[in-house]
């Protein structure tokens, strides 16, 4: 089982709809969770970070974390063609007594296509 | 305020040649990282430096060496390039391990 899993897509949504991107992880005690957006040929760009259970909203983006079920999701409201990109989920592993490690594990990403 | 910069942007090497990828950050971050990204494989950690003066192996360190020159700079060296090292290389930084990482623009390397 991969440590961080995402559906590779493509996820196709019409302009103005809600895009829902999901990510599951295997490390039960992971503490830090991140969503990155990556346009083709560009570097990953941080969209959201979330550290505790529940929802975190920032503009059109909402990150949802459920540690008991080991999943984190990203909702994009009012999707725009400019949102078309690959979305990477990243999870920070927990090093036990030593605390969070420096090992951020990335999923392989979900390709989102927003149709005008 | 440039954030994270990488040089060069593109490079073509022949098998067996060596080169050094440079990364610099002006964010005053403690930790720095080198990743490679290949189609279908996602981002994989090569080496990281939790703080100035320390370096550690990541998931795929074979064939690479690193140097944390100072707090700002972290270089990645390929001593004898192989076609399997054809990839896009990203440098990233963060304040410490708990926090989000910020990425440089990447270096696209082709080894023939």
């Amino acid at each position: 089982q991969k440590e961080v899993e995402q559906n590779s897509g493509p996820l196709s949504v019409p302009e103005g709809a809600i895009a829902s991107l999901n990510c599951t992880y295997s490390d039960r005690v992971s503490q830090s969770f991140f969503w990155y957006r990556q346009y083709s040929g560009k570097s990953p760009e941080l969209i959201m970070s979330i550290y505790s259970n529940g929802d975190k909203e920032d503009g059109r983006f909402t990150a949802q974390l459920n540690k008991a079920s080991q999943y984190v999701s990203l909702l994009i409201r009012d999707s725009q063609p400019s949102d078309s990109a690959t979305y990477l989920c990243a999870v920070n592993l927990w090093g036990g007594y030593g605390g969070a490690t420096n090992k951020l594990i990335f999923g392989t990403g979900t390709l989102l296509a927003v149709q005008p | 305020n440039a954030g994270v910069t990488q040089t060069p942007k593109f490079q073509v090497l022949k098998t067996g040649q060596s080169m050094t990828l440079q990364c610099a950050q002006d964010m005053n971050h403690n930790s720095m990282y080198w990743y490679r990204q290949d189609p279908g494989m996602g981002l994989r950690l090569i080496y990281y430096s939790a703080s100035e003066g320390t370096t550690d192996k990541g998931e795929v360190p074979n064939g690479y060496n690193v140097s944390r020159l100072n707090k700002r700079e972290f270089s990645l060296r390929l001593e004898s390039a192989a076609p399997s090292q054809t990839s896009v290389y990203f440098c990233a930084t963060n304040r410490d391990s708990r926090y989000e990482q910020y990425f440089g623009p990447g270096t696209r390397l082709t080894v023939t």
Side-chain angles (χ1 to χ4, degrees):
Chain A
Q1 180 189 3
K2 292 181 183 176
E3 290 175 293
V4 179
E5 295 208 50
Q6 296 180 256
N7 188 320
S8 61
L11 173 65
S12 184
V13 299
E15 184 174 355
I18 296 175
S20 177
L21 302 156
N22 299 313
C23 172
T24 58
Y25 60 94
S26 60
D27 180 12
R28 189 170 293 276
V29 291
S30 292
Q31 297 295 312
S32 308
F33 307 86
F34 309 96
W35 281 100
Y36 287 84
R37 176 176 62 198
Q38 187 173 26
Y39 292 112
S40 180
K42 301 294 186 182
S43 59
E45 172 193 9
L46 180 73
I47 298 175
M48 296 281 286
S49 55
I50 186 166
Y51 300 93
S52 54
N53 278 328
D55 294 0
K56 179 181 178 183
E57 188 173 318
D58 184 0
R60 296 187 295 113
F61 299 99
T62 299
Q64 299 174 318
L65 175 60
N66 184 324
K67 290 187 179 181
S69 300
Q70 293 175 240
Y71 82 78
V72 55
S73 61
L74 180 70
L75 300 178
I76 306 174
R77 290 181 299 282
D78 189 23
S79 296
Q80 300 298 309
S82 59
D83 294 326
S84 299
T86 297
Y87 288 80
L88 304 172
C89 171
V91 176
N92 182 268
L93 297 185
W94 182 253
Y97 182 76
T101 73
N102 287 81
K103 297 185 179 179
L104 197 60
I105 305 300
F106 286 83
T108 53
T110 299
L111 178 62
L112 173 66
V114 180
Q115 307 300 326
Chain B
N1 200 357
V4 184
T5 57
Q6 291 184 237
T7 55
K9 287 187 168 50
F10 301 93
Q11 184 71 50
V12 178
L13 292 178
K14 294 188 188 307
T15 297
Q17 287 184 319
S18 63
M19 78 162 295
T20 300
L21 283 65
Q22 306 285 357
C23 174
Q25 53 101 359
D26 62 3
M27 306 176 80
N28 200 32
H29 284 171
N30 292 313
S31 303
M32 299 184 74
Y33 308 80
W34 277 106
Y35 292 91
R36 61 178 289 173
Q37 187 174 38
D38 304 290
M41 301 290 290
L43 282 157
R44 291 183 292 168
L45 183 64
I46 305 171
Y47 270 94
Y48 66 96
S49 171
S51 60
E52 188 178 353
T54 69
T55 61
D56 282 289
K57 295 178 180 179
E59 182 185 354
V60 288
N62 291 344
Y64 305 95
N65 285 300
V66 290
S67 295
R68 182 74 183 265
L69 305 169
N70 48 54
K71 188 172 185 178
R72 291 186 62 250
E73 298 172 290
F74 189 37
S75 63
L76 178 72
R77 182 159 179 84
L78 287 72
E79 290 291 351
S80 179
S84 60
Q85 295 178 306
T86 293
S87 188
V88 181
Y89 292 85
F90 290 105
C91 176
T93 75
N94 64 358
R95 194 178 354 156
D96 70 41
S97 58
R98 292 166 291 174
Y99 298 103
E100 57 275 3
Q101 294 182 13
Y102 294 91
F103 285 79
T107 295
R108 189 172 297 272
L109 174 67
T110 302
V111 183
T112 60

